[in-house]
Amino acid sequence: MQSPTIPPSMLSALRRVMRPLVRLMLRKGVTFPMFADLLKEVFVDVAHREFRLDGTVPTDSRISLLTGVHRKDVRRLRSEEGESLAALPENITLGAQLVNMWTTGKPFCSEPGQALPLPRLASVGGDLSFDALVAKVSTDIRGRVVLDEWLRLGIVRLDEHDCVHLEAQAFVPQKGFDEKAAYFGHNLHDHACAAVHNLSGDGQPFFERSVHYDALSPASVDHLRAAVEKDGMQVLLAFSRLASGLEEVDVPSAEQRQRITVGLYFYTETTDPDLSKTSDP
């Protein structure tokens, strides 16, 4: 079988995409051999799950042909229990539900996006307390357990009156590497899936847009950063309220259930002088 010609533009894009990931790996001690082994697992798993002919599970030989991974390795990897793409950890999904209710549902907010400080104990605040908020979402976990975890992650703070203040309008851990890594994997995966789908040209494209400027001063960048944090957060909260309202009335079957991710990001770095020269008139 003759190998298809790989567009140089694709290899260039992959090289660019990998740079920040390699930077993270080097900082965290992930070496090339470790990553190569991990990548080998992913190649085999994707070929096994997504490259079937007429629904038939591919053989070891076909996976080896598709991926370039040696057949012995393919057989070994398929016999091992691979780590599936699990949903976000339970503590994160619970946290997202709680923050959503705190910022959108009365009596816990003064208006959408404006979470009220809540007395910690139901014995003090009754239905308008942190304990009551947690009980609205789950009766299996105590408010104190959630509070201790959120204090560790920097999601909330406790004032001198024993009231709990929300420090962010969305569940975004300020501390806790494992929690931030979970969001990193979830968000980057879904963004990449949308971009890959759009690049394939199959079906209706997903919304994926951004704006780029390369001649801004540090002061202007700070101004834009603040605008994105304020206005962008309001946009995401509006989408969250819309999705929450729709989910309350939806009754899809198990086969019809779908999940969504809507994201917004901001990034800045020093403009490469070589690149800026090529773009000057």
Side-chain angles (χ1 to χ4, degrees), residues 103-116:
T103 56
T104 62
K106 292 184 178 181
F108 303 109
C109 65
S110 55
E111 59 182 78
Q114 300 298 317
L116 292 169

Side-chain angles (χ1 to χ4, degrees), residues 8-273:
S9 57
M10 180 177 172
L11 295 178
S12 178
L14 287 173
R15 186 179 294 110
R16 183 175 178 86
V17 167
M18 288 303 303
R19 291 188 68 86
L21 298 180
V22 170
R23 187 183 306 131
L24 174 65
M25 286 185 274
L26 291 177
R27 286 175 177 168
K28 294 300 178 180
V30 179
T31 63
F32 173 74
M34 294 169 64
F35 183 61
D37 286 342
L38 178 64
L39 204 55
K40 193 181 295 185
E41 292 178 24
V42 176
F43 265 82
V44 171
D45 185 60
V46 172
H48 169 77
R49 295 172 186 271
E50 301 182 25
F51 285 79
R52 303 184 177 193
L53 295 176
D54 300 322
T56 303
V57 177
T59 63
D60 291 349
S61 296
R62 182 163 185 268
I63 289 180
S64 179
L65 183 65
L66 282 170
T67 64
V69 177
H70 196 281
R71 193 169 57 180
K72 288 183 179 179
D73 288 331
V74 172
R75 187 183 305 115
R76 173 180 59 81
L77 291 168
R78 295 181 81 180
S79 66
E80 294 175 355
E81 281 291 330
E83 187 173 322
S84 61
L85 285 175
L88 283 168
E90 186 177 351
N91 68 317
I92 291 181
T93 54
L94 173 65
Q97 288 178 297
L98 287 170
V99 172
N100 180 63
M101 177 166 288
W102 198 348
T103 56
T104 62
K106 292 184 178 181
F108 303 109
C109 65
S110 55
E111 59 182 78
Q114 300 298 317
L116 292 169
L118 301 178
R120 178 172 64 89
L121 300 174
S123 59
V124 177
D127 291 338
L128 186 58
S129 64
F130 188 77
D131 282 347
L133 172 69
V134 174
K136 282 272 188 181
V137 175
S138 174
T139 57
D140 297 328
I141 188 167
R142 293 173 54 243
R144 183 73 222 191
V145 175
V146 176
L147 178 62
D148 288 343
E149 179 67 2
W150 281 17
L151 288 170
R152 180 183 73 85
L153 295 175
I155 301 296
V156 296
R157 65 178 175 86
L158 199 60
D159 68 19
E160 64 275 13
H161 303 295
D162 206 29
C163 285
V164 186
H165 296 252
L166 184 63
E167 292 288 88
Q169 292 181 316
F171 187 81
V172 182
Q174 302 302 310
K175 306 171 185 175
F177 181 81
D178 290 346
E179 289 77 11
K180 288 192 285 187
Y183 266 121
F184 167 80
H186 179 276
N187 293 340
L188 213 55
H189 169 271
D190 284 5
H191 190 171
C193 283
V196 168
H197 171 84
N198 293 347
L199 197 61
S200 70
D202 296 331
Q204 181 181 359
F206 289 109
F207 184 86
E208 191 207 7
R209 299 288 184 272
S210 59
V211 294
H212 316 267
Y213 291 85
D214 65 359
L216 290 162
S217 68
S220 293
V221 168
D222 288 342
H223 181 77
L224 283 163
R225 188 199 303 269
V228 171
E229 289 180 359
K230 178 186 175 185
D231 299 337
M233 195 67 237
Q234 292 307 311
V235 169
L236 290 177
L237 286 171
F239 285 137
S240 178
R241 291 191 293 271
L242 175 60
S244 178
L246 292 170
E247 193 174 63
E248 285 181 6
V249 298
D250 279 349
V251 284
S253 64
E255 296 77 18
Q256 291 178 316
R257 285 189 63 161
Q258 296 192 39
R259 68 178 186 86
I260 67 159
T261 298
V262 181
L264 183 70
Y265 65 92
F266 175 91
Y267 179 70
T268 182
E269 67 179 8
T270 302
T271 301
D272 187 327

